[in-house]
Amino acid sequence: MRKDTALSFRIPGRLKTELEKVALSEGRSLAQVCESLLTGGLEIYKKEGSKYLQRFISRHKKEDTSD
């Protein structure tokens, strides 16, 4: 698949650190890890629909408020 566009967004520093750890342990670039995780998440979304996203966002909000 040809890569023909860029995507840029802000994330919490701790998330970037965790992604970098995954990339290092897998011997891959940060971009490769992010692309793989986005692709995997999209595949789950296609199977489960908006319920997956709602469940994930709800869980994420609970974690943020408990910090």
Side-chain angles (χ1 to χ4, degrees), residues 11-60:
I11 60 172
R14 67 178 192 267
L15 178 56
K16 183 179 179 186
T17 299
E18 290 297 317
L19 290 167
E20 289 171 331
K21 287 178 186 177
V22 171
L24 184 63
S25 71
E26 294 293 326
R28 303 211 174 265
S29 70
L30 181 58
Q32 287 174 318
V33 168
C34 290
E35 183 179 352
S36 294
L37 292 172
L38 285 168
T39 300
L42 185 57
E43 289 301 314
I44 294 170
Y45 178 83
K46 286 178 182 178
K47 290 178 185 173
E48 297 184 19
S50 63
K51 290 178 185 177
Y52 165 72
L53 194 56
Q54 290 170 359
R55 201 169 53 242
F56 186 81
I57 290 172
S58 174
R59 185 178 337 139
H60 185 68

